[in-house]
């Protein structure tokens, strides 16, 4: 059982380049999320998908787009990378059912992105 | 003001010590409370979750929620060097598509 798989693990981009971060989960979870983690700023929500076919903005969506390709996959795209987007990106999923345990996330291992 | 404030640390304790990690929050709509552990250069992993006020125990870990004071804590008994990590508190409203709001994390080092 792989859980949440993110690719790539590391990436260096030049300013203005584009790229897509991939995320896939095999737990049949309904909801998926993209967070970025920066020193001193914790985890901040970029975009989320409450269920297949829906996506919504989080706290810091500017400069990003997402696609919920199917129930398993949720990708994050940087159209024109900027140095301010240098960060560690985490994908997470959860079931959002009725039990308290449903609200805990399973995280991927992260993508370390540097924009120069 | 952030919705969730976490004691910043860092925290350094000797092996065997009792550790207390704390978060406060401002939004009374939060109903689910989680603690995550994050080892260096890894993704966070869910450690404990609670729904109501009171204590929940799991081995050496105890999660405490006081909704009246908007305060949550994680206690670690008999701390081990393997407990050295960053601990993140997180909170969720049950009608919010499961979106969690995280504290900034407290880095704990347990010295042998």
């Amino acid at each position: 059982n792989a859980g949440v798989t993110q690719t790539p693990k590391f990436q260096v981009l030049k300013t203005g380049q584009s790229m897509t971060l991939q995320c896939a989960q095999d737990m049949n979870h309904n909801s998926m999320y993209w967070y970025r983690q920066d020193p001193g700023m914790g985890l901040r929500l970029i975009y989320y998908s409450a269920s297949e076919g829906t996506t919504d903005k989080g706290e810091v969506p500017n400069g990003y787009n997402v696609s919920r390709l199917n129930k398993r996959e949720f990708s994050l795209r940087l159209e024109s990378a900027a140095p301010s987007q240098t960060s560690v990106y985490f994908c997470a999923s959860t079931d959002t059912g009725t039990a308290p345990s449903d609200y805990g996330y399973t995280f991927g291992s992260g993508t370390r992105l540097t924009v120069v | 003001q952030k919705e969730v404030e976490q004691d910043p640390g860092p925290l350094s304790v000797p092996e065997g010590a009792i550790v207390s990690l704390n978060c406060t929050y401002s939004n009374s709509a939060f109903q689910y409370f989680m603690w995550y552990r994050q080892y260096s250069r890894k993704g966070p992993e869910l450690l404990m979750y609670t729904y109501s006020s009171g204590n929940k125990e799991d081995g050496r870990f105890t999660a405490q929620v006081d909704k009246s004071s908007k305060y949550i804590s994680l206690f670690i008994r008999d701390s081990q060097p393997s407990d050295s990590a960053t601990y993140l508190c997180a909170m969720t409203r049950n009608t919010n598509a499961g979106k969690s709001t995280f504290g900034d994390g407290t880095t704990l080092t347990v010295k042998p």
Side-chain angles (χ1 to χ4, degrees):
Chain A
N1 194 344
V4 177
T5 302
Q6 288 184 240
T7 56
K9 294 190 183 305
F10 302 94
Q11 185 71 49
V12 178
L13 288 180
K14 294 182 178 179
T15 298
Q17 286 185 319
S18 62
M19 77 163 294
T20 299
L21 281 65
Q22 306 287 352
C23 175
Q25 52 93 5
D26 61 3
M27 297 167 288
N28 203 36
H29 284 169
N30 292 320
S31 301
M32 299 184 73
Y33 313 86
W34 277 104
Y35 284 84
R36 59 178 289 173
Q37 187 175 39
D38 303 290
M41 304 189 78
L43 284 159
R44 292 182 292 167
L45 183 63
I46 305 170
Y47 270 93
Y48 68 100
S49 171
S51 60
E52 186 179 357
T54 68
T55 60
D56 283 289
K57 296 178 180 179
E59 181 185 356
V60 289
N62 291 344
Y64 305 95
N65 284 300
V66 291
S67 295
R68 182 76 183 263
L69 304 170
N70 48 55
K71 191 170 186 180
R72 290 187 64 249
E73 299 172 286
F74 188 39
S75 63
L76 177 72
R77 182 161 179 83
L78 286 70
E79 292 291 352
S80 179
S84 60
Q85 294 178 305
T86 293
S87 187
V88 181
Y89 292 85
F90 287 103
C91 177
S93 70
T94 191
D95 214 8
T96 56
T98 55
S101 59
D102 293 338
Y103 289 85
Y105 287 1
T106 300
F107 280 90
S109 57
T111 296
R112 281 172 171 71
L113 175 68
T114 302
V115 182
V116 298
Chain B
Q1 183 186 359
K2 291 184 178 181
E3 281 190 302
V4 178
E5 299 278 0
Q6 185 167 359
D7 288 353
L11 208 53
S12 181
V13 301
E15 184 174 354
I18 296 174
V19 176
S20 172
L21 303 166
N22 308 294
C23 290
T24 59
Y25 61 97
S26 57
N27 192 334
S28 58
F30 288 133
Q31 295 193 3
Y32 299 97
F33 305 91
M34 281 73 70
W35 285 95
Y36 292 83
R37 178 175 60 197
Q38 185 176 22
Y39 291 115
S40 181
R41 304 184 75 80
K42 301 289 186 184
E45 56 178 332
L46 182 65
L47 195 59
M48 295 191 74
Y49 60 88
T50 55
Y51 174 61
S52 58
S53 286
N55 293 352
K56 181 178 181 180
E57 190 173 318
D58 184 2
R60 296 184 295 109
F61 298 89
T62 299
Q64 190 174 81
V65 175
D66 182 349
K67 286 189 175 180
S68 61
S69 302
K70 297 189 179 68
Y71 189 89
I72 71 170
S73 298
L74 178 70
F75 298 96
I76 307 174
R77 291 185 301 280
D78 187 26
S79 55
Q80 302 296 309
S82 58
D83 295 328
S84 298
T86 296
Y87 291 80
L88 301 158
C89 63
M91 306 175 190
T92 303
R93 288 160 273 190
N94 67 348
T95 58
N96 208 28
K99 293 185 295 180
S100 283
T101 301
F102 287 82
D104 288 350
T106 302
T107 298
L108 170 67
T109 301
V110 181
K111 297 184 176 180

